[in-house]
Amino acid sequence: MRPARPVEDGPGDDIRSADSMSEGGELPSWARVLVVVAHPDDESFGLGGLLGAFAAAGADIEVLCLTRGEASTLGAHAGDLVATRRGELTLAAQRLGVGATTLLELPDGHLHELGDEPLRQPVRDAVERARPDGVLVFDPGGGVTGHPDHEAASRATLAVAAEHGIPVLGWALPTSVARVLNAEHGGSFVGHDDLDLTVSVDRAQQRLAIAAHASQAVPGSVLWRRLELLGRSEHLRWLQPPTAPSSPADRG
């Protein structure tokens, strides 16, 4: 296993950078964005660059986090891990320009065991409260990192968004990046070749948000290598595309 290196804005040395692999793109012009994640730090470690980009475009962002992250083995020695992670989420959200966060108490590490309704109802409540133009989640195919909580959170969110006809974007990794991370770190990252959007993000702002999660952003984490390989680019898949407006003829 090669050692992890601090994140840089340039590409990794053993694959082409994400910047060079895909065409450019733009985020949709959503005025209100709902973000649903499983754990405190997912919004920064995974989605931080994208949330910063939405905020810079003037979007009102709300983050729904389904668990308190109490199952983490990192930072547990420091005392009340739940309180620590709650504070970290609040600070990270401020640094990303997130307007509101909701932290639920569903069981960390067991979301996939709860069944549909215990996951979907909190998402419905958030949709009714936030009235989003679009929703952002981890790609449900393996939850990007292979964590079953990520996949469960995203699939529940996708089902609720379908009920309301709300478009959904899934954060995803290129196959080549996932392959390198798995080879170097023995991970379970899932990549895709069918990526719909590639956007340029501000890694400096994301790093500030990551630093807010001091109990979790430890040296040697695969996080740093992933950001290095991605460079300035993040990738998205349309899980539920926007519905095209009907023409006058279609409306009869």
Side-chain angles (χ1 to χ4, degrees):
M1 179 185 300
R2 67 185 291 172
R5 291 174 286 181
V7 61
E8 301 173 355
D9 283 335
D13 55 8
D14 47 8
I15 66 167
R16 293 175 296 161
S17 74
D19 303 278
S20 67
M21 290 190 294
S22 303
E23 297 296 327
E26 295 183 357
L27 290 172
S29 54
W30 294 340
R32 296 181 301 277
V33 182
L34 176 63
V35 181
V36 182
V37 294
H39 314 108
D41 74 28
D42 289 344
E43 87 297 329
S44 296
F45 291 9
L47 305 178
L50 294 166
L51 297 194
F54 271 119
D60 183 7
I61 305 169
E62 178 167 340
V63 172
L64 173 64
C65 183
L66 298 181
T67 81
R68 300 171 296 171
E70 72 276 7
S72 174
T73 58
L74 299 174
H77 63 282
D80 188 341
L81 182 61
V82 169
T84 295
R85 300 203 70 182
R86 181 183 296 111
E88 290 174 345
L89 174 62
T90 298
L91 178 56
Q94 292 172 352
R95 291 180 176 181
L96 289 171
V98 171
T101 60
T102 300
L103 186 65
L104 301 184
E105 299 182 0
L106 297 178
D108 183 11
H110 299 278
L111 294 184
H112 60 293
E113 301 170 2
L114 295 182
D116 291 339
E117 283 308 304
L119 292 178
R120 293 180 185 180
Q121 189 55 52
V123 179
R124 289 192 190 100
D125 294 342
V127 166
E128 292 173 4
R129 179 178 62 249
R131 300 181 64 83
D133 300 305
V135 177
L136 178 64
V137 296
F138 281 40
D139 188 273
V144 181
T145 68
H147 198 306
D149 277 2
H150 294 168
E151 182 166 1
S154 296
R155 292 197 181 281
T157 302
L158 187 57
V160 173
E163 294 172 1
H164 291 78
I166 302 171
V168 182
L169 278 171
W171 169 62
L173 295 180
T175 299
S176 57
V177 170
R179 185 180 298 120
V180 170
L181 294 176
N182 291 337
E184 294 182 354
H185 293 268
S188 300
F189 286 88
V190 177
H192 293 275
D193 294 321
D194 55 335
L195 299 165
D196 297 310
L197 294 176
T198 298
V199 298
S200 180
V201 298
D202 181 354
R203 293 294 186 206
Q205 182 182 17
Q206 183 178 16
R207 286 195 290 269
L208 288 175
I210 289 170
H213 291 281
S215 72
Q216 306 298 307
V218 297
S221 169
V222 66
L223 162 68
W224 308 112
R225 179 59 168 150
R226 171 170 56 78
L227 295 183
E228 180 186 44
L229 292 170
L230 288 172
R232 295 185 180 91
S233 293
E234 289 289 3
H235 305 267
L236 295 152
R237 300 172 71 226
W238 280 112
L239 305 179
Q240 181 162 299
T243 302
S246 60
S247 67
D250 293 335
R251 293 194 292 267

